[in-house]
Every structure is written in C-alpha cells, then in structure tokens.
Amino acid sequence: MTFSIIICFYNASHKLIPTLRHIKNLDVSSITDCELILVNNNSHDDSCAIIQNEMNEFTLFPWKLVDEPKPGLSNARQKGIAESQFEYLLFCDDDNWLASDYMQTALPILESHKNIAVLGGYGEAISDIPIPHWFEQHKNFYAVGEQFPTNGKVYGVRNMVYGAGMIVRRSAWNYLISKGFTFFALGRTGKSLSSGEDSEMCLAFQIAGYDIWYNNTLRFKHYIEPQRLTDEYFKKLRKGMSSSGYVIQFYRRYLFGYKPKITKYFWIKELAYVCKDILKGLFVNSSREAFNRNLRFSKYLLQERGNYSKNVRNVLAICEELSSPQINFSPQITQIHTD
C-alpha cells in the first residue's frame, strides 16, 4: 500500500503550479507510505525554482527533485524509478491534475488483482481555449478519454493504456528489467514529438504474462496548451507516434503469434510490401491517410535500412526472453495472454 509519484518535466514552468497543487491535495489517509519524485529532464527554464518555491513548506509526504540530463521521457521515467522506493509507481505528467482520491481509488483494484502490471485511468481534456471539433475523434493521441469500453483488463486491438496517470507495479517492472527489457522508444525529446514508450512497456508486460487494466473511476484533468490544439501540431504528433511504432509494432505482432525470420535484408522485404501497397493505392480506392502512412513508412525504411532489421531483431529477442518460463516464477503470471 505504498506509492511513489513520479513527475518528469522539461521546460514546464508555465504549467507546473496547478499540477503540484493537485499533488498536494491528494488523499493519502489509507496509504502506508508515499513519496514524490520530480525529474528534471534537461530543462533550461525556471521550472526547478518554481518547484522549490511551491513545495517549500509541503510536509504531507517526502519529496525530492532529481536531474536526468539524457533527453527522452523513458530516460526520465527510469531515473524516477531508480530514485524511488515504493511498490506502486504513479506516473503523473507535468500537465496532469490528479483527482484527490486517485490513489485511494486505485489501491483496492491493485491489491485485489495481483497480476495487474499497469493500471490506467480516465483523462479529461481542459484548455484555455475551446476544444476544437476534431479533437473528439483523436483524443487518445492526447492521452484523454475512455481507454476501453469496460473497466477491467484491456485486451484485443488496443492492448495498452496511455502513460498519463498510469500506475505500474514495481515488482512487475523489476521482472521486465531482469529479462533484459530496454526501451526502443525514447519518448518526446525537446521539440521532437516521437513517442511510443507507453505502448512498448504495456505490450512487453503482456508478453511476460501480466495484465493491463483500465478503470474510469481513476480521474484526472489533462491541461492541453492552446498551441497543441492546432491541425499542424496534431499532424506532427501523429507522425511522431508513427515513426516510433514501426519497430514497436513487433511487440504486438509477437503477442499474437507472428515471429518472422529476421535477416539483414528484412528491411528490403518490408519495403517491397509497402511499395506494393503504395502502387495499389494509386489505382484502387485507398484512403489518403493510409496512402500517406505507407509513404512515410517507405521513407523511414530507406533512411534506416539495415538499422531497421537490427532493431526488429533486438525487439524480438527481448520478446523471446520475456515469454520464456522462469524457475520460481509466480504461478499467477506463467500464462501469456493472447486474447
């Protein structure tokens, strides 16, 4: 019944104060131990000074500010995990405003279902401007909205929850690391909108036999800056997610039984298939989105070439290790879920 809250930030001085005030308002009455780890991911604004000022007299539970100079959300989160000590790792983004009962609501779910590796909640979008009409269709790109039709285990097409507000069981994370798991996706780095580390982690947990859960009673508000609610930004966001997904998708494919033989020419085979789809799209009815997606993938393959084959091979090697049985492995998680 112990929580480590981890907030990673990069140049977030303009949005940290409401996030911290919601942290300070959390109900920890039935939590045995709690701590707050704030990870500065190479900021060059006054974020740290704002944190020091805002948290100066806060004594409800311990907190500390640490640095992770290597850019990338996955690097920052790993630093936060290394600096923390408790069983449940609550990842709160620097623009997430957690409901006061967030941990209290999560605790009985996590304690009752020991095979849960990740538990996700429901984010509500808020901004200083009206939310645009197109947002509803694409809200999951912004880590808000319903993540699954029902509360409980996430399975099937989605297979994951977004990182905002996710709670990770440390013992499950330690198991992943012991089996050689490393992130391929770094997450967003400065102005780069590449992402995918949340999907990568959720899929890896499932290959190892754990469950991913969602519960819509875990609530938080996700503050979205006005400049992120433009068509131009959304196109960059979607493109960034696609680029990281070209390799990460092999976690999902492995989960459903696809285990290709990877040679150094595997990327050429992939390029041949995607070029065939591009040509087909020129003469057969094809959505513009699908055509552009195939075009981006072909460009990615030409840029990466042999690196693509190497990265896919490394991901599949991790998958093989994660799915292999282990002596004294908990009976609760010896089965790989493929539903």
Side-chain angles (χ1 to χ4, degrees):
M1 296 190 294
T2 59
F3 279 83
S4 295
I5 306 166
I6 299 173
I7 299 179
C8 305
F9 63 92
Y10 166 77
N11 290 348
S13 59
H14 56 294
K15 54 186 176 181
L16 274 170
I17 288 179
T19 298
L20 293 173
R21 289 181 178 172
H22 280 79
I23 293 291
K24 290 158 70 175
N25 196 43
L26 287 171
D27 179 5
V28 294
S29 57
S30 64
I31 306 299
T32 306
D33 283 298
C34 185
E35 64 179 352
L36 171 64
I37 313 295
L38 295 130
V39 185
N40 173 25
N41 195 198
N42 207 28
S43 297
H44 48 77
D45 66 354
D46 58 349
S47 293
C48 294
I50 286 175
I51 290 171
Q52 294 286 0
N53 183 65
E54 182 64 33
M55 302 296 290
N56 183 42
E57 298 181 2
F58 179 71
T59 58
L60 184 60
F61 47 81
W63 67 275
K64 63 181 176 180
L65 180 59
V66 300
D67 291 320
E68 175 47 71
K70 290 186 292 184
L73 181 57
S74 61
N75 289 328
R77 283 182 173 171
Q78 289 179 87
K79 178 68 172 183
I81 295 172
E83 293 285 342
S84 65
Q85 58 180 317
F86 297 135
E87 173 64 359
Y88 297 127
L89 306 166
L90 169 52
F91 293 107
C92 175
D93 290 349
D94 55 21
D95 51 10
N96 294 166
W97 304 350
L98 300 177
S100 60
D101 65 350
Y102 203 86
M103 291 187 294
Q104 301 288 359
T105 302
L107 190 58
I109 300 171
L110 292 163
E111 290 292 300
S112 299
H113 303 277
K114 299 295 186 181
N115 205 49
I116 295 176
V118 177
L119 174 62
Y122 184 102
E124 176 190 349
I126 59 170
S127 186
D128 298 324
I129 62 172
I131 304 295
H133 65 88
W134 52 262
F135 183 85
E136 181 66 21
Q137 183 180 355
H138 305 292
K139 58 189 177 183
N140 280 151
F141 283 91
Y142 288 83
V144 299
E146 184 181 75
Q147 304 206 59
F148 203 67
T150 58
N151 290 337
K153 180 183 174 182
V154 175
Y155 59 88
V157 175
R158 183 161 172 79
N159 280 87
M160 62 197 70
V161 294
Y162 44 67
M166 75 161 41
I167 300 172
V168 176
R169 193 183 300 270
R170 180 187 293 275
S171 54
W173 169 258
N174 288 343
Y175 179 72
L176 238 60
I177 297 303
S178 74
K179 301 291 273 185
F181 174 78
T182 57
F183 283 104
F184 171 78
L186 285 178
R188 297 178 189 176
T189 57
K191 294 182 179 180
S192 170
L193 298 183
S194 177
S195 59
E197 70 286 344
D198 305 325
S199 303
E200 186 176 7
M201 180 169 56
C202 286
L203 292 168
F205 275 129
Q206 289 173 88
I207 291 169
Y210 289 96
D211 295 332
I212 310 300
W213 273 47
Y214 161 70
N215 194 288
N216 64 11
T217 63
L218 276 72
R219 294 275 174 157
F220 66 92
K221 295 183 186 297
H222 188 170
Y223 170 70
I224 303 176
E225 299 167 88
Q227 62 267 30
R228 297 180 63 204
L229 292 172
T230 64
D231 289 336
E232 181 182 2
Y233 180 91
F234 175 66
K235 289 177 182 177
K236 291 180 179 178
L237 177 64
R238 183 162 57 181
K239 182 179 179 181
M241 290 184 173
S242 295
S243 63
S244 62
Y246 296 141
V247 173
I248 293 171
Q249 65 176 322
F250 284 90
Y251 280 101
R252 185 193 299 276
R253 292 184 179 185
Y254 186 94
L255 188 63
F256 290 103
Y258 178 63
K259 303 175 184 179
K261 181 179 180 181
I262 309 299
T263 68
K264 65 178 181 178
Y265 301 113
F266 180 72
W267 72 273
I268 298 178
K269 178 182 176 182
E270 294 277 272
L271 181 62
Y273 281 126
V274 75
C275 286
K276 178 182 176 182
D277 289 339
I278 290 172
L279 291 173
K280 183 178 179 181
L282 292 173
F283 301 101
V284 182
N285 288 334
S286 176
S287 70
R288 182 177 178 181
E289 181 177 344
F291 182 83
N292 288 335
R293 183 171 60 247
N294 287 329
L295 197 60
R296 288 194 299 267
F297 185 33
S298 65
K299 291 179 180 178
Y300 176 85
L301 287 170
L302 289 170
Q303 289 170 351
E304 294 295 313
R305 296 189 291 276
N307 285 334
Y308 176 81
S309 301
K310 178 182 176 182
N311 289 333
V312 171
R313 187 185 299 112
N314 290 341
V315 163
L316 291 177
I318 291 174
C319 290
E320 289 289 344
E321 184 62 24
L322 287 172
S323 63
S324 63
Q326 175 176 301
I327 299 175
N328 296 326
F329 190 35
S330 169
Q332 283 187 297
I333 50 179
T334 54
Q335 299 297 315
I336 297 176
H337 302 285
T338 58
D339 51 342

